[in-house]
Amino acid sequence: MMKTKAHFDSMNFSGTHLEDYFTTKAFVVEVVKSRGIFEPHRWLEEFGKPLTRNIVEAKIVHTQTGLTLPLKRFSTSQNKQTLEFAGLKGYCEKSNLLMKLLKELWDDIQNEVITRMDVAIDFKGKVPAKVIKKLSKSRTPFQYLNTTYCKTKSEKKTNPHLDIKVYNKALHANLDEELERLEFCFKGSYFRGKYKIKNLDAVQLKMTKTIKRMAGVDVEITTFKNWL
C-alpha cells in the first residue's frame, strides 16, 4: 500500500554553544534581550510574535542571504541555547535558503538535542474526512481564524507534548493549487531530551507511529538526508 508523503516543516534543537556556529563574517548576531539590553520590538518586527516571559535571553541570527533565525535561552534551561528553523517546507525561496543553511551546519550539529519537530502532510484539496474523523476520536476540533486546532479535553491554550492543526496551506503560501495541510507539532515533552540530531532515524519512526495511531495515516517522512 502506497504511503502518504510527509515533510519536516520545522526543527528546533538545543545545545550549550549554538552561537559558536555563527562567529564568521557570514553572520551577524543581534542581541534583543540580555543583561542590560531589552528591545522586544525587534523580536516582534522579525518574527511577528512577542517575547514571552520564559525567554531570559533572545538573539537574532542574521545571514548574508537575508534569513533571520531566533536564538533563545529559556528560564527552565538557562545553560542551553535553542535555535529554531521554521518553514522548511514553505514552497518559497526562504525554505530553500533555510535548507541550504541547515546543510552547511548538518555535520556539526549532530550532537545537539532535538526539542521540536513539525511534520507537515499536504493534501491536494481537503484533508480527507476519514482522517478528521479519526483525529476526532481522541481530540476535539477547535476553529480559530483560518486554522482548525485538534485539542485534547484537558489541554488549554498550549500543549507541551503535541499540537495538531489543519489549515489552508495554499492561502498561507500564496499557491495557485488548492492545498490543505495537516500538521503535527511534536514538542519538548514528546522527546524528553532523549534524542539528538544523529538519532533522527529513531525520531522519525516514533513520530510515524504516532501519526498512524492518531490520524490513521500511514506516512513516509521525507528525511533530511534526502533533502540534503
Side-chain angles (χ1 to χ4, degrees), residues 99-130:
M99 287 304 305
K100 183 178 179 181
L101 176 58
L102 195 57
K103 180 178 180 180
E104 293 171 359
L105 297 173
W106 194 250
D107 290 340
D108 295 325
I109 64 175
Q110 290 300 299
N111 284 311
E112 310 301 358
V113 176
I114 296 171
T115 57
R116 175 168 174 160
M117 301 289 288
D118 291 3
V119 177
I121 310 165
D122 291 336
F123 295 89
K124 291 183 178 180
K126 299 289 186 180
V127 175
K130 64 180 181 179

Side-chain angles (χ1 to χ4, degrees), residues 53-150:
R53 291 185 177 181
N54 64 331
I55 299 175
V56 296
E57 180 187 80
K59 299 181 179 182
I60 302 172
V61 178
H62 299 267
T63 75
Q64 287 183 330
T65 60
L67 291 175
T68 55
L69 284 78
L71 185 64
K72 301 168 279 190
R73 289 187 195 274
F74 293 99
S75 57
T76 53
S77 55
Q78 296 190 31
N79 64 325
K80 294 183 179 180
Q81 293 179 306
T82 297
L83 184 66
E84 177 181 315
F85 279 79
L88 293 166
K89 187 61 176 177
Y91 301 96
C92 61
E93 181 60 19
K94 179 184 176 182
S95 296
N96 295 333
L97 293 174
L98 282 169
M99 287 304 305
K100 183 178 179 181
L101 176 58
L102 195 57
K103 180 178 180 180
E104 293 171 359
L105 297 173
W106 194 250
D107 290 340
D108 295 325
I109 64 175
Q110 290 300 299
N111 284 311
E112 310 301 358
V113 176
I114 296 171
T115 57
R116 175 168 174 160
M117 301 289 288
D118 291 3
V119 177
I121 310 165
D122 291 336
F123 295 89
K124 291 183 178 180
K126 299 289 186 180
V127 175
K130 64 180 181 179
V131 174
I132 302 299
K133 184 178 180 180
K134 176 70 172 176
L135 285 169
S136 299
K137 289 182 178 180
S138 59
R139 296 200 171 204
T140 302
F142 169 74
Q143 182 77 29
Y144 179 72
L145 298 178
N146 295 319
T147 302
T148 299
Y149 297 88
C150 299

